[in-house]
Amino acid sequence: MEIDNHGESNGNTGGVKKNQFHLYPVSAGDSGEGLPYAPVDWPFPGDTWSWKVGQRIANHGHFLDRYLYPPLRFQKAKRASFSFKSKLSVEQYVRATFPGADIEAFFSSFSWKVPAKKISGTEEELTIVDMPSEEEIVEDLGSDSPIGSLACKAGNKKCRSLVEASNFPSEAMACDVCCSEPGFCRDCCCILCCKTTNSAYGGFSFIRCEAMISNGIICGHMAHIECALRSYMAGTVGGSIGLDAEYYCRRCDKRTELVSHVTKLFRSCESIDSRDAVEKILSVGACVLRGSQKTSAKGLLRRIEFAMSKLKSVTQLGDIWKTEDISAVTAGGLSNHGNDLSDVKNYHETPGSGTGSPQILSGNFNLEIDSLKLEEEIDQVLRALRKAQQTEYKIAEERLLGQKNCLLNLYQQLNKERSELSMATSSDDQDALLEAVLKRVDQIKREIVKLRDMEEVAKGFGKTSKDILDQHFGFETE
């Protein structure tokens, strides 16, 4: 049986060895603890990590989806269970939680790749991701194209990586997980189904994650929007993931808002002469926005649903995009009287009506554009408010937990000093120790009073005394 440097098995029946680990094959959905697929005794003796695999496997034998769970005591510390869905998220967690840890040694202590059991005729649980071999790619692009110079590993002649490099605004992150597959191309393959994306009609069918990973480096991975919707990684999703018209990247765990993406798709429909294509684009956009609590998403969804209703009745596609109809919907619904808009215009233009100033009435306003601007402005304010509240919460959490730890340390010191006092023999030692105990008790009382003051933030930072915010939470107030 042949194995590669990552411990992959071509046979997947008897297991392979890597770094003295026996990499036994597992079935889809299997899980376990410790070696060979999760660390043990890390970061401290007795700490055992857990693992689980998904449904998809590569054509050369290992699972594409695998999950890593930290030891239970770390999950209890956060009062919630959590897992890592990518190697990058594990690395970020280890670096943040254990500064100075040897990342290379950590990943060398177990095998990230998990071989799958050989599929029998009755097994239907696994999804084989069929990726072309390098030889097939060379044959598809021409025998005179050396494999080392190919820009698209998936053999896609329309891959965006075949355009000039200057068209790429940002450098994409290094990836040794999905991008290490011989037939997977980050620039044109969906990270969820591994099939190539289609850039027709402005590329409405996929989303590219442009989340910033570090300075000037973006994620760059792509996914079909339909795949993301089916996987509950796009649209509005409740639960722990909590998406609101957003896309959650499977590779970097970052989020991308989708309202602006759908807005571009909606506008692109005006230049498309295919009724089926317009219907498909509008349907995808509606699925992404439906259920969103964002003001801009709700307004855009109304416009899309109205356009879809007109699509069924009009004979000319151009009739769908009449400004008057779309503007009426954006403003809050279609009027029952077709001449309402013209009546309003004529009323404003009536001389001597005495309504409003001439400057306002003659201004160059566009209801559709101004409505979208207002919605986006309100969304920005609400996002800023949510971010500010989250920042305040983190500050309060950090300071309150710090005060709690301070009190616990004082209690421990008091117990130690009391114990020493009880064992003291000479009167001089007893007097000195008694004085230390009394001072410690006074210190604890002061810290408890301080904690009670700090707990005032439960009413909200806006209703908390400025002196408390300034003294205990670092907020400088005038």
Side-chain angles (χ1 to χ4, degrees), residues 196-210:
T196 57
T197 57
N198 189 340
S199 58
Y201 302 114
F204 79 93
S205 62
F206 66 88
I207 180 73
R208 183 171 188 254
C209 179
E210 297 187 357

Side-chain angles (χ1 to χ4, degrees), residues 111-185:
S111 174
W112 180 261
K113 293 194 174 182
V114 182
K117 285 185 177 179
K118 186 176 181 180
I119 300 178
S120 64
T122 59
E123 286 186 276
E124 297 180 353
E125 58 183 356
L126 302 180
T127 302
I128 302 297
V129 179
D130 188 17
M131 297 181 177
S133 65
E134 293 183 349
E135 292 77 9
E136 291 172 333
I137 296 174
V138 172
E139 181 179 354
D140 182 55
L141 294 185
S143 57
D144 58 341
S145 299
I147 191 66
S149 64
L150 292 180
C152 179
K153 296 192 298 181
N156 180 12
K157 296 179 179 179
K158 297 182 179 180
C159 175
R160 68 188 300 271
S161 65
L162 299 179
V163 303
E164 295 182 5
S166 59
N167 289 344
F168 291 84
S170 302
E171 181 182 354
M173 65 180 286
C175 172
D176 59 354
V177 183
C178 52
C179 294
S180 64
E181 300 296 335
F184 181 89
C185 175

Side-chain angles (χ1 to χ4, degrees), residues 242-399:
L243 299 179
D244 188 355
E246 296 171 298
Y247 164 66
Y248 181 86
C249 179
R250 176 72 173 77
R251 179 62 184 89
C252 71
D253 298 329
K254 304 290 186 182
R255 299 162 186 260
T256 300
E257 67 88 15
L258 293 178
V259 178
S260 58
H261 181 77
V262 176
T263 300
K264 293 177 182 178
L265 300 182
F266 183 74
R267 291 172 179 169
S268 69
C269 288
E270 298 184 23
S271 59
I272 298 176
D273 57 3
S274 169
R275 186 178 295 267
D276 291 339
V278 171
E279 184 177 9
K280 180 68 173 178
I281 295 174
L282 294 178
S283 177
V284 169
C287 289
V288 169
L289 300 176
R290 197 164 287 123
S292 173
Q293 297 302 309
K294 295 180 179 178
T295 306
S296 57
K298 292 178 181 179
L300 182 56
L301 179 61
R302 287 197 299 267
R303 298 169 63 200
I304 289 178
E305 290 178 338
F306 177 67
M308 293 176 69
S309 66
K310 290 193 68 177
L311 183 63
K312 299 177 181 179
S313 58
V314 300
T315 56
Q316 300 293 328
L317 290 179
D319 294 339
I320 300 175
W321 319 113
K322 288 185 177 179
T323 305
E324 294 83 1
D325 292 342
I326 295 295
S327 298
V329 174
T330 305
L334 191 63
S335 171
N336 293 326
H337 303 284
N339 60 351
D340 279 357
L341 288 174
S342 59
D343 289 345
V344 172
K345 182 178 179 181
N346 292 335
Y347 173 76
H348 281 172
E349 293 176 349
T350 302
S353 63
T355 305
S357 66
Q359 181 179 2
I360 294 177
L361 295 180
S362 62
N364 185 19
F365 297 108
N366 185 305
L367 183 58
E368 178 184 0
I369 296 176
D370 291 342
S371 176
L372 288 177
K373 287 181 178 179
L374 287 173
E375 290 173 353
E376 181 59 28
E377 182 179 335
I378 292 172
D379 271 348
Q380 289 178 356
V381 172
L382 293 176
R383 286 196 297 269
L385 175 61
R386 186 183 297 114
K387 184 177 180 180
Q389 291 174 336
Q390 291 173 347
T391 301
E392 292 177 351
Y393 176 86
K394 290 180 180 179
I395 293 175
E397 180 183 37
E398 178 184 349
R399 298 297 176 90

Side-chain angles (χ1 to χ4, degrees), residues 419-440:
S419 178
E420 292 174 350
L421 176 61
S422 65
M423 293 185 294
T425 56
S426 68
S427 59
D428 291 340
D429 290 342
Q430 288 178 343
D431 291 342
L433 290 171
L434 178 59
E435 183 180 359
V437 168
L438 294 176
K439 288 183 178 180
R440 190 69 64 195

Side-chain angles (χ1 to χ4, degrees), residues 395-407 446-461 464-465 467-474:
I395 293 175
E397 180 183 37
E398 178 184 349
R399 298 297 176 90
L400 288 169
L401 291 178
Q403 183 65 10
K404 179 199 73 172
N405 293 333
C406 174
L407 279 169
R446 291 194 300 271
E447 294 300 329
I448 289 177
V449 171
K450 178 180 176 180
L451 178 61
R452 295 294 174 261
D453 288 342
M454 295 174 68
E455 289 175 348
E456 289 293 311
V457 297
K459 299 181 296 186
F461 276 56
T464 303
S465 166
D467 292 336
I468 293 177
L469 295 178
D470 187 10
Q471 183 176 357
H472 302 312
F473 295 95

